[in-house]
Amino acid sequence: MESVLSKYENQITIFADYLEEFPDTDDLVWILGKQHLLKTEKSKLLSDISARLWFTYRRKFSPIGGTGPSSDAGWGCMLRCGQMMLAQALICRHLGRDWNWEKQKEQPKEYQRILQCFLDRKDCCYSIHQMETAQMGVGEGKSIGEWFGPNTVAQVLKKLALFDEWNSLAVYVSMDNTVVIEDIKKMCRVLPLSTDTDGESPPDSLNASNHSKATSACCPAWKSLLLIVPLRLGINQINPVYVDAFKECFKMPQSLGALGGKPNNAYYFIGFLGDELIFLDPHTTQTFVDTEEDGTVDDQTFHCLQSPQRMNILNLDPSVALGFFCKEEKDFDNWCSLVQKEILKENLRMFELVQKHPSHWPPFVPPAKPEVTTTGAEFIDSTEQLEEFDLEEDFEILSV
């Protein structure tokens, strides 16, 4: 395995349709729900992009599974993109979308804790080790070192989040190009100050007796939502009819960007300029970074300080996964309104948003943490804990 991976150690993928320098234009640039005027706010734009956590190939970490690869070069790009999308959700949850990063400046403790969730160690909750173990459990026989698509990575994040008590995210991965409002609210609404029902969904409405027992905060609390919408926007290439709707998603304040790219080459798309998508590229191999003696992480290699790459949207592979973060219920309600206004107005819809759970679907059961004896980051020691999860990497092809 190591001999096969060694040739990828210094891989940096370059395509002729990638453009690095921003043009001199009056056009707006959209980055994860925020707009920048390129001509007058270029430094602010580059600062916003460099603040995103950047996860790339790493080498010299402890072998996955004890005897597996010690580098993910050549096969881990989609996992790294999934890490970037999730990290952006955690940044929004703990620090807010407007938080910014500055080189060699002391950062909030929450930032350091978020970063430690992704270190390449078995005991870190979203490490390459944990994601690979989860993939083996849900990936229908695929082995360590195989490449996975955006839908698979979305399912892996959904499973791993069940063990992450600090961030306490509800992860919803849509099925059949359909987002069901009823199911999401069932999953995200939790009764406050209740250890017995924490993580469970309350009924749609509380009766008078339950209402009086639910503390002064009479309404259910909201569990922060990571919403992932896997799609296939064409057969062999993206259908131009979806371009405008796809770009609209980057304008939404809830946007976490998109996972996608080229076959076997994944990228984390964070915005657009005109018809060019802006993305962070994980195809650079860096050395494993661990915590220092004081418990902090040197974060200099976790931010991309170079000008971001771009590619024409029509060169995008049609298999993608959109991401959104809704910290509060009002954020989700606002997202639903934006989808109805900007996405569902099209004759050929990119995806559907429905109020009620479709009657022909199996009943919706909010995902729950499996019964295990460990907690926190020390959670998956074998694939047996994940055998109950099913996974389909295939996408429903939208009408063209």
Side-chain angles (χ1 to χ4, degrees), residues 232-240 314 316-318:
R232 189 170 183 95
L233 303 177
I235 300 176
N236 297 317
Q237 60 186 24
I238 189 170
N239 188 330
L314 293 179
L316 180 69
D317 186 87

Side-chain angles (χ1 to χ4, degrees), residues 35 54 59 76 82 96 104 130 142 155 175 183-185 229 233 237-238 240 253 275 284 296 353 390 394:
Q35 65 179 12
W54 179 47
R59 56 189 172 93
Q104 297 179 334
Q130 292 292 351
K142 295 183 180 180
Q155 298 291 347
M175 185 175 70
D183 293 348
I184 288 177
K185 296 211 170 188
V229 186
L233 303 177
Q237 60 186 24
I238 189 170
D275 286 330
T284 298
T296 63
L353 177 67
D390 295 324
D394 295 335

Side-chain angles (χ1 to χ4, degrees), residues 191-313:
L191 292 176
L193 303 178
S194 173
T195 56
D196 293 333
T197 58
D198 186 28
E200 298 178 3
S201 301
D204 291 337
S205 60
L206 298 174
N207 59 36
S209 176
N210 288 336
H211 188 281
S212 64
K213 298 177 182 178
T215 73
S216 57
C218 59
C219 297
W222 178 265
K223 195 172 186 179
S224 295
L225 169 67
L226 168 56
L227 168 59
I228 305 178
V229 186
L231 298 169
R232 189 170 183 95
L233 303 177
I235 300 176
N236 297 317
Q237 60 186 24
I238 189 170
N239 188 330
V241 74
Y242 298 119
V243 167
D244 289 341
F246 189 76
K247 288 161 51 176
E248 282 295 328
C249 292
F250 292 97
K251 296 181 180 181
M252 298 177 180
Q254 301 84 0
S255 174
L256 295 176
L259 307 178
K262 298 274 189 176
N264 295 325
N265 284 281
Y267 307 102
Y268 175 41
F269 296 95
I270 58 174
F272 73 91
L273 167 63
D275 286 330
E276 297 169 2
L277 296 175
I278 300 169
F279 64 92
L280 296 179
D281 186 355
H283 299 91
T284 298
T285 304
Q286 304 186 91
T287 303
F288 163 65
V289 172
D290 204 349
T291 52
E292 300 183 353
E293 291 185 359
D294 62 357
T296 63
V297 178
D298 184 348
D299 66 351
Q300 300 305 302
T301 63
F302 291 98
H303 293 271
C304 184
L305 302 181
Q306 302 172 350
S307 182
Q309 297 189 61
R310 309 193 313 280
M311 65 182 291
N312 189 288
I313 191 170

Side-chain angles (χ1 to χ4, degrees), residues 172 174-180 229 351-354 358 361:
Y172 179 92
S174 67
M175 185 175 70
D176 293 340
N177 309 313
T178 303
V179 176
V180 182
V229 186
F351 61 88
E352 297 289 344
L353 177 67
V354 300
W361 283 12

Side-chain angles (χ1 to χ4, degrees), residues 86-87 89-91 93-94 110 113-115 117-118 125-126 161 163-170 223-225 325:
L86 176 58
L90 301 186
I91 290 290
R93 188 198 185 299
H94 296 286
E110 293 87 355
R113 192 167 179 183
I114 290 170
L115 193 53
C117 291
F118 298 93
C125 53
Y126 299 113
F163 300 88
D164 179 11
E165 297 179 358
W166 174 56
N167 292 299
S168 187
L169 284 181
K223 195 172 186 179
S224 295
L225 169 67
F325 176 73

